[in-house]
Amino acid sequence: KKAISYPQITCTATADDGTILGTQDQGGPDLAPGDTTILINMMDAGTSVPAKVEITAKPAEFSLFTSGVRNSDFTVANVSEVAQEFGGEKITGEVTYTGDQTELDSVQVTAIFKSGDTEVYGWFTYIDNVQPNVSTPFEIDSLDTNIPAHDSVEVTAQYW
């Protein structure tokens, strides 16, 4: 089995009349066979609400190289939503890497805000020099005071 080297997606928002309101490319880390990833970024659509948002994957490039780190090697615990002094929220918690690498240079921690089953917002942070089997604290602060109404937050971690 081969890993996918740097998966990439393109997100395009369009108006009812077909006008492209914005487009954004996003790449990710190597993806091990059978693993999944979350790619997140912001895109400016101006003052319009898109009628359609299309996400397309670019053709995959496969490699025999893989870091050996799987997303299932991470656990996320003690997740809290903390109100900010000037509005908005930040997400705090702890990530533990349970794999067998001696140290991970960088881990991306992503928070997906949901209303029911609908994803309404997301943001991320990076934590560096993550040691195996050691709980590492994180804080995700989007600095956004207009986070949409939501009833849950899912947090994931992946090697970056």
Side-chain angles (χ1 to χ4, degrees), residues 26-29 36-42 71 74-77 79-80 90-95 107-114 119 121-127 138-142 152-160:
Q26 177 65 45
T36 59
T37 190
I38 292 176
L39 301 177
I40 187 171
N41 206 335
M42 300 293 277
N71 291 345
F74 295 96
T75 58
V76 179
V79 174
S80 299
K90 64 182 175 182
I91 304 299
T92 61
E94 302 167 312
V95 169
V107 172
Q108 183 184 52
V109 184
T110 303
I112 304 293
F113 295 73
K114 292 180 139 187
E119 298 166 351
Y121 190 82
W123 202 246
F124 58 92
T125 193
Y126 295 96
I127 50 179
F138 68 85
E139 177 179 307
I140 300 172
D141 186 353
S142 71
S152 66
V153 178
E154 283 182 19
V155 179
T156 62
Q158 62 187 356
Y159 181 52
W160 197 260

mmCIF file of all heavy atoms in Angstrom, residues 26-29 36-42 71 74-77 79-80 90-95 107-114 119 121-127 138-142 152-160:
data_model
loop_
_atom_site.group_PDB
_atom_site.id
_atom_site.type_symbol
_atom_site.label_atom_id
_atom_site.label_comp_id
_atom_site.label_asym_id
_atom_site.label_seq_id
_atom_site.Cartn_x
_atom_site.Cartn_y
_atom_site.Cartn_z
ATOM 1 N N GLN A 26 -5.972 24.188 -0.655
ATOM 2 C CA GLN A 26 -5.454 23.776 0.647
ATOM 3 C C GLN A 26 -4.767 22.436 0.487
ATOM 4 O O GLN A 26 -5.318 21.522 -0.112
ATOM 5 C CB GLN A 26 -6.582 23.668 1.679
ATOM 6 C CG GLN A 26 -6.143 23.182 3.034
ATOM 7 C CD GLN A 26 -5.201 24.143 3.729
ATOM 8 O OE1 GLN A 26 -5.439 25.347 3.749
ATOM 9 N NE2 GLN A 26 -4.122 23.632 4.289
ATOM 10 N N GLY A 27 -3.566 22.322 1.026
ATOM 11 C CA GLY A 27 -2.837 21.064 1.009
ATOM 12 C C GLY A 27 -2.707 20.516 2.415
ATOM 13 O O GLY A 27 -2.939 21.219 3.396
ATOM 14 N N GLY A 28 -2.358 19.240 2.492
ATOM 15 C CA GLY A 28 -2.216 18.612 3.791
ATOM 16 C C GLY A 28 -0.985 17.748 3.865
ATOM 17 O O GLY A 28 -0.232 17.640 2.902
ATOM 18 N N PRO A 29 -0.776 17.104 5.001
ATOM 19 C CA PRO A 29 0.400 16.252 5.206
ATOM 20 C C PRO A 29 0.226 14.913 4.492
ATOM 21 O O PRO A 29 -0.870 14.567 4.045
ATOM 22 C CB PRO A 29 0.419 16.064 6.718
ATOM 23 C CG PRO A 29 -1.025 16.112 7.090
ATOM 24 C CD PRO A 29 -1.649 17.139 6.171
ATOM 25 N N THR A 36 -7.616 8.996 7.322
ATOM 26 C CA THR A 36 -8.390 10.152 6.869
ATOM 27 C C THR A 36 -7.724 11.416 7.391
ATOM 28 O O THR A 36 -6.916 11.370 8.315
ATOM 29 C CB THR A 36 -9.849 10.097 7.376
ATOM 30 O OG1 THR A 36 -9.838 10.064 8.798
ATOM 31 C CG2 THR A 36 -10.572 8.872 6.848
ATOM 32 N N THR A 37 -8.098 12.549 6.809
ATOM 33 C CA THR A 37 -7.539 13.820 7.255
ATOM 34 C C THR A 37 -8.621 14.886 7.205
ATOM 35 O O THR A 37 -9.640 14.719 6.539
ATOM 36 C CB THR A 37 -6.329 14.231 6.380
ATOM 37 O OG1 THR A 37 -5.677 15.349 6.984
ATOM 38 C CG2 THR A 37 -6.749 14.604 4.972
ATOM 39 N N ILE A 38 -8.385 15.971 7.914
ATOM 40 C CA ILE A 38 -9.256 17.142 7.856
ATOM 41 C C ILE A 38 -8.409 18.298 7.352
ATOM 42 O O ILE A 38 -7.346 18.577 7.908
ATOM 43 C CB ILE A 38 -9.843 17.483 9.238
ATOM 44 C CG1 ILE A 38 -10.814 16.393 9.678
ATOM 45 C CG2 ILE A 38 -10.534 18.844 9.203
ATOM 46 C CD1 ILE A 38 -11.367 16.589 11.071
ATOM 47 N N LEU A 39 -8.858 18.942 6.283
ATOM 48 C CA LEU A 39 -8.187 20.128 5.753
ATOM 49 C C LEU A 39 -9.128 21.301 5.974
ATOM 50 O O LEU A 39 -10.304 21.232 5.644
ATOM 51 C CB LEU A 39 -7.877 19.957 4.264
ATOM 52 C CG LEU A 39 -6.985 18.774 3.907
ATOM 53 C CD1 LEU A 39 -6.822 18.670 2.385
ATOM 54 C CD2 LEU A 39 -5.636 18.888 4.579
ATOM 55 N N ILE A 40 -8.603 22.382 6.530
ATOM 56 C CA ILE A 40 -9.450 23.528 6.867
ATOM 57 C C ILE A 40 -8.718 24.812 6.519
ATOM 58 O O ILE A 40 -7.512 24.904 6.644
ATOM 59 C CB ILE A 40 -9.838 23.486 8.360
ATOM 60 C CG1 ILE A 40 -10.842 24.559 8.703
ATOM 61 C CG2 ILE A 40 -8.633 23.579 9.241
ATOM 62 C CD1 ILE A 40 -11.425 24.420 10.097
ATOM 63 N N ASN A 41 -9.467 25.783 6.053
ATOM 64 C CA ASN A 41 -8.913 27.087 5.737
ATOM 65 C C ASN A 41 -10.069 28.067 5.630
ATOM 66 O O ASN A 41 -11.228 27.665 5.606
ATOM 67 C CB ASN A 41 -8.116 27.047 4.426
ATOM 68 C CG ASN A 41 -7.045 28.120 4.368
ATOM 69 O OD1 ASN A 41 -7.147 29.155 5.017
ATOM 70 N ND2 ASN A 41 -6.009 27.852 3.598
ATOM 71 N N MET A 42 -9.756 29.338 5.540
ATOM 72 C CA MET A 42 -10.782 30.369 5.376
ATOM 73 C C MET A 42 -10.771 30.843 3.937
ATOM 74 O O MET A 42 -9.731 30.812 3.274
ATOM 75 C CB MET A 42 -10.504 31.548 6.303
ATOM 76 C CG MET A 42 -10.490 31.185 7.771
ATOM 77 S SD MET A 42 -12.093 30.691 8.382
ATOM 78 C CE MET A 42 -12.813 32.268 8.717
ATOM 79 N N ASN A 71 -3.490 9.136 12.054
ATOM 80 C CA ASN A 71 -4.342 10.014 12.866
ATOM 81 C C ASN A 71 -4.920 9.276 14.065
ATOM 82 O O ASN A 71 -5.189 9.875 15.105
ATOM 83 C CB ASN A 71 -5.439 10.618 12.005
ATOM 84 C CG ASN A 71 -4.882 11.606 10.999
ATOM 85 O OD1 ASN A 71 -3.738 12.041 11.119
ATOM 86 N ND2 ASN A 71 -5.653 11.945 10.002
ATOM 87 N N PHE A 74 -3.470 9.492 17.822
ATOM 88 C CA PHE A 74 -3.672 10.648 18.694
ATOM 89 C C PHE A 74 -4.963 10.500 19.487
ATOM 90 O O PHE A 74 -5.966 10.026 18.973
ATOM 91 C CB PHE A 74 -3.769 11.941 17.869
ATOM 92 C CG PHE A 74 -2.511 12.286 17.144
ATOM 93 C CD1 PHE A 74 -2.338 11.921 15.822
ATOM 94 C CD2 PHE A 74 -1.493 12.979 17.781
ATOM 95 C CE1 PHE A 74 -1.169 12.231 15.145
ATOM 96 C CE2 PHE A 74 -0.321 13.293 17.110
ATOM 97 C CZ PHE A 74 -0.157 12.922 15.785
ATOM 98 N N THR A 75 -4.921 10.925 20.748
ATOM 99 C CA THR A 75 -6.141 11.063 21.530
ATOM 100 C C THR A 75 -6.246 12.527 21.959
ATOM 101 O O THR A 75 -5.235 13.186 22.226
ATOM 102 C CB THR A 75 -6.150 10.159 22.782
ATOM 103 O OG1 THR A 75 -5.028 10.473 23.597
ATOM 104 C CG2 THR A 75 -6.106 8.690 22.393
ATOM 105 N N VAL A 76 -7.460 13.012 21.990
ATOM 106 C CA VAL A 76 -7.743 14.388 22.406
ATOM 107 C C VAL A 76 -8.631 14.301 23.639
ATOM 108 O O VAL A 76 -9.623 13.572 23.638
ATOM 109 C CB VAL A 76 -8.442 15.181 21.283
ATOM 110 C CG1 VAL A 76 -8.755 16.597 21.734
ATOM 111 C CG2 VAL A 76 -7.594 15.193 20.016
ATOM 112 N N ALA A 77 -8.266 15.026 24.685
ATOM 113 C CA ALA A 77 -9.008 14.946 25.946
ATOM 114 C C ALA A 77 -9.136 16.324 26.579
ATOM 115 O O ALA A 77 -8.479 17.280 26.165
ATOM 116 C CB ALA A 77 -8.289 14.004 26.909
ATOM 117 N N VAL A 79 -11.319 18.638 26.521
ATOM 118 C CA VAL A 79 -11.676 19.741 25.620
ATOM 119 C C VAL A 79 -12.669 20.669 26.312
ATOM 120 O O VAL A 79 -13.672 20.224 26.875
ATOM 121 C CB VAL A 79 -12.263 19.207 24.299
ATOM 122 C CG1 VAL A 79 -12.760 20.339 23.423
ATOM 123 C CG2 VAL A 79 -11.221 18.366 23.570
ATOM 124 N N SER A 80 -12.361 21.968 26.266
ATOM 125 C CA SER A 80 -13.239 22.983 26.862
ATOM 126 C C SER A 80 -13.399 24.149 25.911
ATOM 127 O O SER A 80 -12.481 24.498 25.173
ATOM 128 C CB SER A 80 -12.644 23.503 28.176
ATOM 129 O OG SER A 80 -12.506 22.467 29.110
ATOM 130 N N LYS A 90 -12.441 30.369 22.765
ATOM 131 C CA LYS A 90 -11.269 29.600 22.369
ATOM 132 C C LYS A 90 -11.503 28.174 22.854
ATOM 133 O O LYS A 90 -12.299 27.929 23.765
ATOM 134 C CB LYS A 90 -9.985 30.181 22.939
ATOM 135 C CG LYS A 90 -9.872 30.159 24.449
ATOM 136 C CD LYS A 90 -8.575 30.799 24.883
ATOM 137 C CE LYS A 90 -8.492 30.890 26.404
ATOM 138 N NZ LYS A 90 -7.258 31.556 26.821
ATOM 139 N N ILE A 91 -10.821 27.242 22.226
ATOM 140 C CA ILE A 91 -10.932 25.832 22.579
ATOM 141 C C ILE A 91 -9.611 25.401 23.193
ATOM 142 O O ILE A 91 -8.541 25.667 22.628
ATOM 143 C CB ILE A 91 -11.239 24.977 21.331
ATOM 144 C CG1 ILE A 91 -12.508 25.469 20.622
ATOM 145 C CG2 ILE A 91 -11.347 23.502 21.696
ATOM 146 C CD1 ILE A 91 -13.763 25.416 21.469
ATOM 147 N N THR A 92 -9.674 24.765 24.342
ATOM 148 C CA THR A 92 -8.472 24.268 25.000
ATOM 149 C C THR A 92 -8.620 22.766 25.238
ATOM 150 O O THR A 92 -9.727 22.229 25.224
ATOM 151 C CB THR A 92 -8.220 24.973 26.340
ATOM 152 O OG1 THR A 92 -9.334 24.724 27.211
ATOM 153 C CG2 THR A 92 -8.041 26.471 26.158
ATOM 154 N N GLY A 93 -7.501 22.114 25.456
ATOM 155 C CA GLY A 93 -7.520 20.691 25.741
ATOM 156 C C GLY A 93 -6.124 20.123 25.726
ATOM 157 O O GLY A 93 -5.130 20.869 25.820
ATOM 158 N N GLU A 94 -6.046 18.806 25.581
ATOM 159 C CA GLU A 94 -4.764 18.107 25.587
ATOM 160 C C GLU A 94 -4.745 17.060 24.486
ATOM 161 O O GLU A 94 -5.753 16.403 24.230
ATOM 162 C CB GLU A 94 -4.544 17.403 26.925
ATOM 163 C CG GLU A 94 -4.570 18.337 28.109
ATOM 164 C CD GLU A 94 -4.675 17.610 29.431
ATOM 165 O OE1 GLU A 94 -5.527 16.715 29.569
ATOM 166 O OE2 GLU A 94 -3.885 17.964 30.316
ATOM 167 N N VAL A 95 -3.587 16.909 23.841
ATOM 168 C CA VAL A 95 -3.374 15.889 22.822
ATOM 169 C C VAL A 95 -2.305 14.937 23.326
ATOM 170 O O VAL A 95 -1.289 15.369 23.876
ATOM 171 C CB VAL A 95 -2.923 16.523 21.483
ATOM 172 C CG1 VAL A 95 -2.443 15.464 20.509
ATOM 173 C CG2 VAL A 95 -4.032 17.342 20.870
ATOM 174 N N VAL A 107 2.241 19.058 15.124
ATOM 175 C CA VAL A 107 0.931 18.417 15.094
ATOM 176 C C VAL A 107 -0.116 19.509 14.913
ATOM 177 O O VAL A 107 -0.080 20.527 15.606
ATOM 178 C CB VAL A 107 0.671 17.629 16.402
ATOM 179 C CG1 VAL A 107 -0.755 17.118 16.460
ATOM 180 C CG2 VAL A 107 1.668 16.484 16.536
ATOM 181 N N GLN A 108 -1.017 19.299 13.952
ATOM 182 C CA GLN A 108 -2.110 20.250 13.751
ATOM 183 C C GLN A 108 -3.314 19.773 14.564
ATOM 184 O O GLN A 108 -3.710 18.601 14.471
ATOM 185 C CB GLN A 108 -2.506 20.356 12.285
ATOM 186 C CG GLN A 108 -3.589 21.399 12.056
ATOM 187 C CD GLN A 108 -4.060 21.443 10.620
ATOM 188 O OE1 GLN A 108 -4.424 20.423 10.056
ATOM 189 N NE2 GLN A 108 -4.041 22.622 10.028
ATOM 190 N N VAL A 109 -3.886 20.681 15.346
ATOM 191 C CA VAL A 109 -5.083 20.402 16.130
ATOM 192 C C VAL A 109 -6.200 21.254 15.541
ATOM 193 O O VAL A 109 -6.060 22.476 15.419
ATOM 194 C CB VAL A 109 -4.869 20.726 17.626
ATOM 195 C CG1 VAL A 109 -6.100 20.345 18.433
ATOM 196 C CG2 VAL A 109 -3.634 20.021 18.157
ATOM 197 N N THR A 110 -7.297 20.602 15.159
ATOM 198 C CA THR A 110 -8.397 21.271 14.455
ATOM 199 C C THR A 110 -9.681 21.169 15.266
ATOM 200 O O THR A 110 -10.013 20.091 15.765
ATOM 201 C CB THR A 110 -8.619 20.617 13.079
ATOM 202 O OG1 THR A 110 -7.404 20.680 12.336
ATOM 203 C CG2 THR A 110 -9.721 21.315 12.298
ATOM 204 N N ALA A 111 -10.399 22.283 15.388
ATOM 205 C CA ALA A 111 -11.711 22.308 16.040
ATOM 206 C C ALA A 111 -12.771 22.569 14.987
ATOM 207 O O ALA A 111 -12.665 23.525 14.216
ATOM 208 C CB ALA A 111 -11.761 23.392 17.110
ATOM 209 N N ILE A 112 -13.772 21.699 14.936
ATOM 210 C CA ILE A 112 -14.912 21.857 14.035
ATOM 211 C C ILE A 112 -16.140 22.144 14.899
ATOM 212 O O ILE A 112 -16.531 21.316 15.722
ATOM 213 C CB ILE A 112 -15.150 20.596 13.185
ATOM 214 C CG1 ILE A 112 -13.899 20.221 12.392
ATOM 215 C CG2 ILE A 112 -16.364 20.778 12.282
ATOM 216 C CD1 ILE A 112 -13.516 21.211 11.320
ATOM 217 N N PHE A 113 -16.715 23.320 14.715
ATOM 218 C CA PHE A 113 -17.905 23.725 15.451
ATOM 219 C C PHE A 113 -19.126 23.230 14.683
ATOM 220 O O PHE A 113 -19.221 23.445 13.470
ATOM 221 C CB PHE A 113 -17.960 25.248 15.581
ATOM 222 C CG PHE A 113 -16.842 25.828 16.409
ATOM 223 C CD1 PHE A 113 -15.540 25.883 15.923
ATOM 224 C CD2 PHE A 113 -17.092 26.336 17.671
ATOM 225 C CE1 PHE A 113 -14.504 26.418 16.681
ATOM 226 C CE2 PHE A 113 -16.069 26.883 18.438
ATOM 227 C CZ PHE A 113 -14.777 26.922 17.937
ATOM 228 N N LYS A 114 -20.073 22.599 15.390
ATOM 229 C CA LYS A 114 -21.232 22.006 14.726
ATOM 230 C C LYS A 114 -22.534 22.485 15.357
ATOM 231 O O LYS A 114 -22.613 22.704 16.562
ATOM 232 C CB LYS A 114 -21.175 20.487 14.807
ATOM 233 C CG LYS A 114 -20.057 19.872 14.009
ATOM 234 C CD LYS A 114 -20.086 18.371 14.142
ATOM 235 C CE LYS A 114 -19.795 17.726 12.828
ATOM 236 N NZ LYS A 114 -19.984 16.280 12.889
ATOM 237 N N GLU A 119 -21.585 21.308 9.995
ATOM 238 C CA GLU A 119 -20.369 22.025 10.360
ATOM 239 C C GLU A 119 -20.569 23.501 10.033
ATOM 240 O O GLU A 119 -20.888 23.859 8.902
ATOM 241 C CB GLU A 119 -19.176 21.465 9.584
ATOM 242 C CG GLU A 119 -18.925 20.010 9.923
ATOM 243 C CD GLU A 119 -17.999 19.312 8.953
ATOM 244 O OE1 GLU A 119 -17.657 19.890 7.902
ATOM 245 O OE2 GLU A 119 -17.634 18.159 9.245
ATOM 246 N N TYR A 121 -18.314 26.094 11.439
ATOM 247 C CA TYR A 121 -17.095 26.891 11.606
ATOM 248 C C TYR A 121 -15.952 25.951 11.957
ATOM 249 O O TYR A 121 -16.167 24.861 12.471
ATOM 250 C CB TYR A 121 -17.277 27.911 12.742
ATOM 251 C CG TYR A 121 -16.185 28.941 12.857
ATOM 252 C CD1 TYR A 121 -16.188 30.064 12.050
ATOM 253 C CD2 TYR A 121 -15.152 28.781 13.771
ATOM 254 C CE1 TYR A 121 -15.180 31.020 12.154
ATOM 255 C CE2 TYR A 121 -14.150 29.734 13.876
ATOM 256 C CZ TYR A 121 -14.170 30.849 13.070
ATOM 257 O OH TYR A 121 -13.174 31.784 13.166
ATOM 258 N N GLY A 122 -14.760 26.386 11.693
ATOM 259 C CA GLY A 122 -13.602 25.594 12.077
ATOM 260 C C GLY A 122 -12.360 26.456 12.159
ATOM 261 O O GLY A 122 -12.273 27.502 11.506
ATOM 262 N N TRP A 123 -11.425 26.025 12.986
ATOM 263 C CA TRP A 123 -10.140 26.715 13.085
ATOM 264 C C TRP A 123 -9.117 25.735 13.619
ATOM 265 O O TRP A 123 -9.466 24.641 14.042
ATOM 266 C CB TRP A 123 -10.244 27.962 13.953
ATOM 267 C CG TRP A 123 -9.141 28.938 13.644
ATOM 268 C CD1 TRP A 123 -8.118 29.309 14.472
ATOM 269 C CD2 TRP A 123 -8.921 29.635 12.427
ATOM 270 N NE1 TRP A 123 -7.284 30.204 13.829
ATOM 271 C CE2 TRP A 123 -7.757 30.418 12.558
ATOM 272 C CE3 TRP A 123 -9.593 29.660 11.200
ATOM 273 C CZ2 TRP A 123 -7.255 31.216 11.551
ATOM 274 C CZ3 TRP A 123 -9.092 30.460 10.192
ATOM 275 C CH2 TRP A 123 -7.937 31.231 10.380
ATOM 276 N N PHE A 124 -7.845 26.117 13.613
ATOM 277 C CA PHE A 124 -6.797 25.181 13.980
ATOM 278 C C PHE A 124 -5.633 25.896 14.643
ATOM 279 O O PHE A 124 -5.524 27.119 14.625
ATOM 280 C CB PHE A 124 -6.297 24.433 12.741
ATOM 281 C CG PHE A 124 -5.767 25.349 11.678
ATOM 282 C CD1 PHE A 124 -4.421 25.676 11.631
ATOM 283 C CD2 PHE A 124 -6.612 25.889 10.715
ATOM 284 C CE1 PHE A 124 -3.927 26.538 10.660
ATOM 285 C CE2 PHE A 124 -6.125 26.747 9.737
ATOM 286 C CZ PHE A 124 -4.787 27.067 9.711
ATOM 287 N N THR A 125 -4.742 25.089 15.209
ATOM 288 C CA THR A 125 -3.478 25.567 15.749
ATOM 289 C C THR A 125 -2.453 24.470 15.546
ATOM 290 O O THR A 125 -2.793 23.358 15.136
ATOM 291 C CB THR A 125 -3.596 25.935 17.246
ATOM 292 O OG1 THR A 125 -2.437 26.662 17.643
ATOM 293 C CG2 THR A 125 -3.757 24.712 18.129
ATOM 294 N N TYR A 126 -1.210 24.772 15.835
ATOM 295 C CA TYR A 126 -0.137 23.780 15.770
ATOM 296 C C TYR A 126 0.536 23.683 17.128
ATOM 297 O O TYR A 126 0.686 24.691 17.819
ATOM 298 C CB TYR A 126 0.913 24.177 14.723
ATOM 299 C CG TYR A 126 0.365 24.189 13.318
ATOM 300 C CD1 TYR A 126 -0.092 25.370 12.743
ATOM 301 C CD2 TYR A 126 0.283 23.013 12.580
ATOM 302 C CE1 TYR A 126 -0.602 25.380 11.460
ATOM 303 C CE2 TYR A 126 -0.226 23.014 11.299
ATOM 304 C CZ TYR A 126 -0.672 24.201 10.742
ATOM 305 O OH TYR A 126 -1.187 24.200 9.480
ATOM 306 N N ILE A 127 0.921 22.468 17.499
ATOM 307 C CA ILE A 127 1.753 22.275 18.679
ATOM 308 C C ILE A 127 3.036 21.583 18.208
ATOM 309 O O ILE A 127 3.002 20.743 17.316
ATOM 310 C CB ILE A 127 1.035 21.495 19.801
ATOM 311 C CG1 ILE A 127 0.388 20.204 19.296
ATOM 312 C CG2 ILE A 127 -0.003 22.365 20.470
ATOM 313 C CD1 ILE A 127 -0.307 19.389 20.372
ATOM 314 N N PHE A 138 -3.121 22.354 24.376
ATOM 315 C CA PHE A 138 -3.286 23.200 23.190
ATOM 316 C C PHE A 138 -4.346 24.254 23.457
ATOM 317 O O PHE A 138 -5.184 24.112 24.352
ATOM 318 C CB PHE A 138 -3.665 22.367 21.951
ATOM 319 C CG PHE A 138 -5.046 21.759 22.021
ATOM 320 C CD1 PHE A 138 -6.169 22.479 21.643
ATOM 321 C CD2 PHE A 138 -5.211 20.458 22.476
ATOM 322 C CE1 PHE A 138 -7.434 21.924 21.712
ATOM 323 C CE2 PHE A 138 -6.471 19.892 22.546
ATOM 324 C CZ PHE A 138 -7.579 20.627 22.163
ATOM 325 N N GLU A 139 -4.291 25.300 22.654
ATOM 326 C CA GLU A 139 -5.294 26.372 22.668
ATOM 327 C C GLU A 139 -5.556 26.769 21.224
ATOM 328 O O GLU A 139 -4.626 27.097 20.492
ATOM 329 C CB GLU A 139 -4.778 27.573 23.446
ATOM 330 C CG GLU A 139 -5.729 28.753 23.455
ATOM 331 C CD GLU A 139 -5.195 29.918 24.265
ATOM 332 O OE1 GLU A 139 -4.827 29.712 25.435
ATOM 333 O OE2 GLU A 139 -5.151 31.031 23.720
ATOM 334 N N ILE A 140 -6.812 26.700 20.820
ATOM 335 C CA ILE A 140 -7.219 27.137 19.482
ATOM 336 C C ILE A 140 -7.999 28.424 19.658
ATOM 337 O O ILE A 140 -9.079 28.424 20.232
ATOM 338 C CB ILE A 140 -8.088 26.082 18.779
ATOM 339 C CG1 ILE A 140 -7.310 24.771 18.627
ATOM 340 C CG2 ILE A 140 -8.559 26.590 17.420
ATOM 341 C CD1 ILE A 140 -8.141 23.619 18.114
ATOM 342 N N ASP A 141 -7.437 29.514 19.181
ATOM 343 C CA ASP A 141 -8.064 30.827 19.310
ATOM 344 C C ASP A 141 -8.118 31.455 17.928
ATOM 345 O O ASP A 141 -7.111 31.897 17.389
ATOM 346 C CB ASP A 141 -7.249 31.698 20.265
ATOM 347 C CG ASP A 141 -7.928 33.022 20.557
ATOM 348 O OD1 ASP A 141 -8.959 33.335 19.919
ATOM 349 O OD2 ASP A 141 -7.429 33.748 21.430
ATOM 350 N N SER A 142 -9.303 31.493 17.345
ATOM 351 C CA SER A 142 -9.449 32.034 15.993
ATOM 352 C C SER A 142 -9.430 33.555 15.972
ATOM 353 O O SER A 142 -9.365 34.151 14.907
ATOM 354 C CB SER A 142 -10.759 31.558 15.368
ATOM 355 O OG SER A 142 -11.856 32.200 16.000
ATOM 356 N N SER A 152 -21.921 21.897 19.562
ATOM 357 C CA SER A 152 -20.832 20.982 19.886
ATOM 358 C C SER A 152 -19.559 21.395 19.145
ATOM 359 O O SER A 152 -19.615 22.159 18.171
ATOM 360 C CB SER A 152 -21.197 19.536 19.526
ATOM 361 O OG SER A 152 -21.335 19.397 18.134
ATOM 362 N N VAL A 153 -18.445 20.880 19.622
ATOM 363 C CA VAL A 153 -17.151 21.115 18.990
ATOM 364 C C VAL A 153 -16.419 19.777 18.938
ATOM 365 O O VAL A 153 -16.303 19.109 19.955
ATOM 366 C CB VAL A 153 -16.298 22.141 19.776
ATOM 367 C CG1 VAL A 153 -14.935 22.324 19.120
ATOM 368 C CG2 VAL A 153 -17.019 23.470 19.887
ATOM 369 N N GLU A 154 -15.983 19.381 17.732
ATOM 370 C CA GLU A 154 -15.166 18.184 17.563
ATOM 371 C C GLU A 154 -13.729 18.614 17.376
ATOM 372 O O GLU A 154 -13.444 19.492 16.569
ATOM 373 C CB GLU A 154 -15.604 17.396 16.329
ATOM 374 C CG GLU A 154 -16.852 16.600 16.505
ATOM 375 C CD GLU A 154 -17.194 15.801 15.255
ATOM 376 O OE1 GLU A 154 -16.317 15.573 14.388
ATOM 377 O OE2 GLU A 154 -18.361 15.421 15.139
ATOM 378 N N VAL A 155 -12.804 17.981 18.086
ATOM 379 C CA VAL A 155 -11.386 18.323 17.985
ATOM 380 C C VAL A 155 -10.623 17.083 17.524
ATOM 381 O O VAL A 155 -10.815 15.999 18.073
ATOM 382 C CB VAL A 155 -10.845 18.841 19.323
ATOM 383 C CG1 VAL A 155 -9.359 19.168 19.211
ATOM 384 C CG2 VAL A 155 -11.617 20.080 19.770
ATOM 385 N N THR A 156 -9.786 17.274 16.507
ATOM 386 C CA THR A 156 -8.948 16.186 15.997
ATOM 387 C C THR A 156 -7.495 16.647 15.957
ATOM 388 O O THR A 156 -7.212 17.837 15.971
ATOM 389 C CB THR A 156 -9.377 15.760 14.580
ATOM 390 O OG1 THR A 156 -9.207 16.874 13.689
ATOM 391 C CG2 THR A 156 -10.814 15.280 14.548
ATOM 392 N N ALA A 157 -6.588 15.664 15.887
ATOM 393 C CA ALA A 157 -5.167 15.969 15.788
ATOM 394 C C ALA A 157 -4.568 15.133 14.675
ATOM 395 O O ALA A 157 -5.012 13.993 14.434
ATOM 396 C CB ALA A 157 -4.456 15.683 17.102
ATOM 397 N N GLN A 158 -3.592 15.701 13.970
ATOM 398 C CA GLN A 158 -2.902 14.955 12.917
ATOM 399 C C GLN A 158 -1.461 15.459 12.798
ATOM 400 O O GLN A 158 -1.182 16.627 13.046
ATOM 401 C CB GLN A 158 -3.619 15.079 11.586
ATOM 402 C CG GLN A 158 -3.716 16.488 11.034
ATOM 403 C CD GLN A 158 -4.600 16.560 9.796
ATOM 404 O OE1 GLN A 158 -5.084 15.574 9.298
ATOM 405 N NE2 GLN A 158 -4.806 17.773 9.294
ATOM 406 N N TYR A 159 -0.588 14.555 12.433
ATOM 407 C CA TYR A 159 0.826 14.901 12.224
ATOM 408 C C TYR A 159 0.922 15.851 11.050
ATOM 409 O O TYR A 159 0.290 15.675 10.024
ATOM 410 C CB TYR A 159 1.610 13.622 11.949
ATOM 411 C CG TYR A 159 3.088 13.816 11.726
ATOM 412 C CD1 TYR A 159 3.851 14.528 12.626
ATOM 413 C CD2 TYR A 159 3.703 13.263 10.621
ATOM 414 C CE1 TYR A 159 5.215 14.690 12.443
ATOM 415 C CE2 TYR A 159 5.081 13.422 10.421
ATOM 416 C CZ TYR A 159 5.822 14.136 11.333
ATOM 417 O OH TYR A 159 7.156 14.289 11.136
ATOM 418 N N TRP A 160 1.701 16.893 11.205
ATOM 419 C CA TRP A 160 1.849 17.881 10.140
ATOM 420 C C TRP A 160 3.274 17.943 9.772
ATOM 421 O O TRP A 160 4.012 18.509 9.297
ATOM 422 C CB TRP A 160 1.301 19.222 10.605
ATOM 423 C CG TRP A 160 1.040 20.137 9.478
ATOM 424 C CD1 TRP A 160 1.843 21.158 9.054
ATOM 425 C CD2 TRP A 160 -0.092 20.159 8.594
ATOM 426 N NE1 TRP A 160 1.290 21.800 7.987
ATOM 427 C CE2 TRP A 160 0.094 21.207 7.683
ATOM 428 C CE3 TRP A 160 -1.225 19.391 8.475
ATOM 429 C CZ2 TRP A 160 -0.816 21.521 6.672
ATOM 430 C CZ3 TRP A 160 -2.138 19.693 7.495
ATOM 431 C CH2 TRP A 160 -1.926 20.747 6.609
#
